[in-house]
Amino acid sequence: MAQGNGVATTGAGDAPVLQIENLGISYFIRAGEIPAVPNFSLTVRRGESYGLVGESGCGKSTVAMAIMRYLGTAGRIVRGRILFEGRDMTTLSEDELRKIRGSRIAMVYQEPFSALNPCMTVGRQLMEVPMVHEGVNDAEAYERSLKILRDVNMPDPGTVMSRYPHQISGGQQQRVVIGMAMLTNPSLLLLDEPTTALDVTIEAAVLDLIAELRQRYGTALLYISHNLGVIRKVCDRVGVMYSGELVEEGTIDEIFSRPRHPYTFGLFNCIPTIGADKRARSLIPIPGQVSLPHQRPPGCVFAPRCDHAKPGLCDVGAVPYERLPGSESHGIRCRRWSEIELKTQTRTRAPESAEAALPVLEVRDMSKFYELRDSSIRAMLMGGVRRNVKANELISFDALKARTVAIVGESGCGKSTFAKVLTGLEQATAGEIMLNGKNIAIIPVEKRQTELIRALQMVFQNPDGTLNPSHTVGSAIGRVIRKFGIETEGPKVRARVAEMLDIVRLPAAFAGRKPRQLSGGQKQRIAVARAFAGRPEIVIADEPVSALDVSVQAAVINLLMEVQERYGTTLLFISHDLGVVRYLADHIVVMYLGQVMEAGPAAAVFQPPYHPYTEALLSAVPIADPTIKQQRVRLTGELPSIIDPPKGCRFCTRCPRRIGSICDSTPPPEQDVAPGHRIRCHIPAAELRLIPPVFTQVTAAE
């Protein structure tokens, strides 16, 4: 048995469970044939975990659907073979496929709710799997379903069996879907971005669960993701896919420590690393986009975006796939891999000016409570029972001019509620939010003057929800320019729109396009241009890069920094991605269940002393850097209800460093552990300083 990434795997001599040979997949539409995947091959051995990475549009999910034979009426396998346990899936009848799907091959999708029937209880949906595939009776199906929920570490599995999907959390839904996939002990499990929409702590728990189930059942995994940190955690080998082809393949150590293809190296250059921030290292986006399937270039498919492409060599003929000398596992599709030198670029950023140290936003003990009334008949007879839901409680921090403050925490911690109060969509119950000396905490948006609305703008996670599909890009940006009085005359407005498009690296011709004509990354750039068009003092960015490919993510992060520097804008960055936060933020505020657990300079928050919750968040971050060793601190249990939070420390029910009953009964004090760095915890600062660092630098030998 070979050892890979901490998980036992089968050796190279074992028979493959999945073997794809020269696969070609096309979609046939009215305009003709669209070759989605022209030529693809891979092998997954029994018990192995294989990661497939690449940008959106490169064909990863299409390959997974082809394995399951879920290509729809327009999709067709035009060449090659898909051998599963020695049988060619491309030649099987529908009856034969039904016996394999869900039984020998199972699939877990990105969005668990879409895979669950909202009209059936969780238990009934689980029970259907062994009843349909194995013909077992109700009693046996129930016991097996209950057991699999215990195996996926589901709290109170008996109660969950009786609930409907909407009555359990997103993390629990994903555990149910994984359990459903594992019920028949399949030989192959396909996972298509199963943790993308989850909080970092839940993601870590799901990844641990996948690794545990793999060891227990000996299942082979094909894990599809654009998150290289996740791939490093769960996989033994990795294949890098680009435009329907495998351009590089190798073990985790080979690909992460010694990438040789320019595309693979480009992906790593797009990722913020835990050990460096925006002043020490540049993010280098890969220029351009993946070619459309019907517009692939001749020769190397990556050549139009490659800095090392050589005319007359890289743009002619099919590029062969070859093994690197001295390695049985490391292969590459590149004619120049042996002669090019791939280097990571670094930079030193100039320090901020003295003006940057001035506070623009001062939040002082801001609280937002919602009144909850018990509408039961008994409560109504007693005159009604009212309680306060403390969505935000005693929030305090400063945001300085031209600096970035990151607000991090799990879903339900109160990040978005604070953003609503800040923008006037909600009013604070108590406390102050001072913007340039004026308390805006209790001014609703409809009563805010134009100048105040201009000063606070937002960039949302999903630009589709904020761009009118009937209006052009130029109209959306121009409306902001007119409304806030930046320019009022038509020619000057159009010139200003062109200037904003140039700032976000888009051609002026895009002003005439509508959102449906743009890619996801282009739409997010438009959202950034619109937010900055009114020259705001503060921009609130709510998860603006979480749904983007790593290359597009790098471009948008660079864009935010460039526009921020140009206008001296303060940025409030709301995110659960601590890798991006460490790179971008100057100051970090860590929230849990409505309260600030820790706040301080970014570098200080990422080094001991930590709040135990911060420590757990850092431990859960998927790290793509092989030179970083990471401590494992996993949280147990679910996030308590904000309606009935713990009476003492909000974090006490999940805290791995809980020190006794004081944590349950008494709210913890705030401790100043360093200038500008405070922690809300009962553990003395001297003891918190003794906590080992989550991240340590290691050498290749270690």
Side-chain angles (χ1 to χ4, degrees):
M1 301 285 280
Q3 195 75 13
N5 203 33
V7 181
T9 63
T10 54
D14 292 317
V17 67
L18 176 69
Q19 195 167 2
I20 301 176
E21 300 175 349
N22 304 317
L23 182 67
I25 305 168
S26 292
Y27 287 91
F28 293 85
I29 60 175
R30 187 174 299 175
E33 179 181 356
I34 305 296
V37 176
N39 185 8
F40 183 80
S41 300
L42 70 74
T43 298
V44 181
R45 303 181 184 95
R46 202 167 297 279
E48 180 182 38
S49 180
Y50 188 102
L52 194 59
V53 302
E55 295 170 281
S56 298
C58 69
K60 307 185 300 296
S61 296
T62 301
V63 168
M65 291 301 183
I67 295 170
M68 298 291 285
R69 291 283 302 277
Y70 282 150
L71 291 173
T73 56
R76 193 182 308 165
I77 295 173
V78 295
R79 72 182 66 85
R81 301 192 302 170
I82 301 174
L83 299 177
F84 171 68
E85 296 183 330
R87 302 177 68 187
D88 189 352
M89 296 284 288
T90 65
T91 64
L92 299 184
S93 66
E94 283 298 320
D95 286 340
E96 291 173 315
L97 287 170
R98 272 193 291 270
K99 293 177 182 177
I100 293 176
R101 293 179 186 141
S103 175
R104 304 304 300 147
I105 305 178
M107 189 163 183
V108 177
Y109 300 91
Q110 177 175 342
E111 179 48 65
F113 197 75
S114 64
L116 296 171
N117 188 329
C119 300
M120 293 175 64
T121 63
V122 167
R124 197 67 209 172
Q125 294 184 64
L126 286 166
M127 290 167 62
E128 274 194 348
V129 176
M131 291 172 70
V132 169
H133 289 287
E134 300 176 26
V136 303
N137 59 36
D138 278 25
E140 184 178 346
Y142 182 87
E143 288 303 319
R144 286 178 57 176
S145 299
L146 199 61
K147 180 181 182 299
I148 201 69
L149 287 182
R150 294 191 188 103
D151 287 348
V152 299
N153 304 319
M154 182 70 75
D156 196 4
T159 301
V160 171
M161 288 278 286
S162 64
R163 289 180 175 171
Y164 289 89
H166 71 273
Q167 295 175 310
I168 59 178
S169 69
Q172 290 176 330
Q173 290 172 10
Q174 194 63 287
R175 292 183 196 187
V176 168
V177 172
I178 292 172
M180 192 180 298
M182 298 300 296
L183 259 171
T184 57
N185 192 14
S187 297
L188 177 65
L189 183 60
L190 309 177
L191 301 114
D192 192 357
E193 300 276 12
T195 62
T196 297
L198 302 179
D199 284 322
V200 65
T201 52
I202 299 173
E203 177 183 66
V206 170
L207 295 179
D208 285 345
L209 170 64
I210 290 169
E212 179 186 335
L213 293 176
R214 174 190 162 203
Q215 283 190 315
R216 182 179 302 173
Y217 294 100
T219 306
L221 306 181
L222 179 60
Y223 198 109
I224 296 170
S225 181
H226 67 265
N227 189 324
L228 290 165
V230 168
I231 291 294
R232 180 170 174 257
K233 275 193 172 185
V234 299
C235 297
D236 308 302
R237 285 195 302 138
V238 59
V240 182
M241 193 173 182
Y242 184 82
S243 192
E245 294 181 350
L246 205 63
V247 296
E248 188 166 9
E249 182 185 42
T251 65
I252 287 292
D253 182 60
E254 288 169 336
I255 298 299
F256 281 73
S257 299
R258 299 178 297 279
R260 301 308 302 267
H261 196 283
Y263 177 61
T264 309
F265 195 80
L267 290 177
F268 283 106
N269 267 342
C270 295
I271 302 172
T273 57
I274 289 295
D277 61 18
K278 58 190 175 185
R279 296 176 185 85
R281 176 177 174 255
S282 299
L283 298 183
I284 314 296
I286 302 172
Q289 299 176 18
V290 179
S291 302
L292 294 174
H294 60 288
Q295 296 177 343
R296 285 188 179 88
C300 174
V301 290
F302 184 61
R305 305 174 70 189
C306 182
D307 292 335
H308 304 280
K310 189 174 182 179
L313 176 66
C314 298
D315 54 2
V316 294
V319 180
Y321 181 84
E322 56 183 306
R323 296 289 179 190
L324 270 64
S327 174
E328 295 182 1
S329 55
H330 199 172
I332 193 167
R333 195 184 300 274
C334 177
R335 287 196 172 102
R336 301 198 64 206
W337 69 266
S338 61
E339 59 186 85
I340 58 179
E341 187 177 5
L342 303 174
K343 288 185 177 181
T344 300
Q345 298 186 28
T346 59
R347 72 172 178 185
T348 301
R349 194 167 177 237
E352 284 84 359
S353 64
E355 183 186 23
L358 299 175
V360 174
L361 189 74
E362 298 171 274
V363 184
R364 294 288 176 266
D365 296 329
M366 194 283 290
S367 297
K368 173 60 183 176
F369 299 166
Y370 293 95
E371 186 180 88
L372 184 68
R373 177 177 294 181
D374 188 342
S375 58
S376 67
I377 294 176
R378 180 182 177 184
M380 291 176 67
L381 291 174
M382 296 173 63
V385 178
R386 299 181 181 182
R387 293 189 289 174
N388 283 328
V389 178
K390 299 177 180 180
N392 287 158
E393 187 175 14
L394 301 175
I395 306 295
S396 296
F397 67 88
D398 290 344
L400 307 183
K401 184 175 176 60
R403 301 283 183 90
T404 299
V405 176
I407 304 176
V408 302
E410 297 169 282
S411 298
C413 73
K415 306 187 300 291
S416 295
T417 298
F418 171 76
K420 289 178 182 178
V421 174
L422 183 59
T423 53
L425 298 176
E426 299 280 0
Q427 288 78 59
T429 305
E432 297 178 333
I433 300 178
M434 305 299 292
L435 177 63
N436 293 327
K438 182 178 183 180
N439 183 15
I440 64 171
I442 55 175
I443 306 176
V445 66
E446 61 270 15
K447 293 184 179 180
R448 293 189 174 189
Q449 296 179 349
T450 300
E451 186 62 23
L452 179 55
I453 295 174
R454 181 199 65 79
L456 290 163
Q457 292 293 300
M458 284 197 72
V459 178
F460 296 91
Q461 178 177 350
N462 183 7
D464 284 314
T466 60
L467 294 174
N468 191 322
S470 301
H471 292 178
T472 63
V473 164
S475 173
I477 300 173
R479 184 174 182 273
V480 174
I481 295 169
R482 287 191 180 91
K483 181 177 179 62
F484 296 135
I486 306 301
E487 299 289 354
T488 55
E489 298 177 8
K492 291 184 178 180
V493 171
R494 288 190 291 274
R496 177 69 179 158
V497 168
E499 180 186 347
M500 291 307 302
L501 289 173
D502 181 63
I503 289 171
V504 298
R505 306 288 191 272
L506 290 175
F510 272 47
R513 295 191 181 185
K514 292 185 177 179
R516 66 174 181 271
Q517 298 173 292
L518 307 178
S519 69
Q522 289 170 339
K523 283 185 278 194
Q524 196 62 291
R525 288 172 184 245
I526 296 300
V528 172
R530 186 178 60 177
F532 282 90
R535 296 176 185 169
E537 293 182 61
I538 298 174
V539 168
I540 305 116
D542 191 355
E543 299 279 11
V545 297
S546 62
L548 304 177
D549 282 325
V550 290
S551 181
V552 180
Q553 180 188 84
V556 172
I557 290 171
N558 285 344
L559 176 63
L560 284 170
M561 290 192 300
E562 290 169 12
V563 181
Q564 180 186 31
E565 289 176 0
R566 183 181 184 118
Y567 293 109
T569 308
T570 299
L571 184 65
L572 291 185
F573 191 82
I574 298 173
S575 180
H576 68 266
D577 188 335
L578 289 176
V580 173
V581 164
R582 176 65 183 94
Y583 179 82
L584 188 60
D586 301 294
H587 193 88
I588 297 175
V589 176
V590 181
M591 291 185 64
Y592 183 83
L593 220 62
Q595 289 187 341
V596 174
M597 297 289 106
E598 182 169 2
V605 171
F606 272 70
Q607 291 291 333
Y610 307 117
H611 188 282
Y613 180 56
T614 307
E615 181 189 17
L617 288 179
L618 296 177
S619 176
V621 178
I623 302 295
D625 188 349
T627 67
I628 299 292
K629 184 178 180 181
Q630 186 176 19
Q631 298 288 339
R632 294 171 67 85
V633 179
R634 294 294 181 257
L635 297 182
T636 57
E638 299 293 324
L639 191 74
S641 170
I642 192 67
I643 297 174
D644 188 24
K647 292 180 173 58
C649 174
R650 294 281 174 96
F651 186 55
C652 69
T653 59
R654 301 170 73 197
C655 181
R657 299 187 180 276
R658 182 176 170 276
I659 59 175
S661 60
I662 189 174
C663 297
D664 301 323
S665 59
T666 308
E670 278 195 341
Q671 307 180 62
D672 291 319
V673 295
H677 185 193
R678 66 185 191 276
I679 292 175
R680 188 190 300 270
C681 187
H682 285 296
I683 302 174
E687 291 185 28
L688 292 175
R689 288 189 177 91
L690 299 178
I691 294 176
V694 173
F695 306 114
T696 52
Q697 198 81 25
V698 297
T699 62
E702 294 178 279

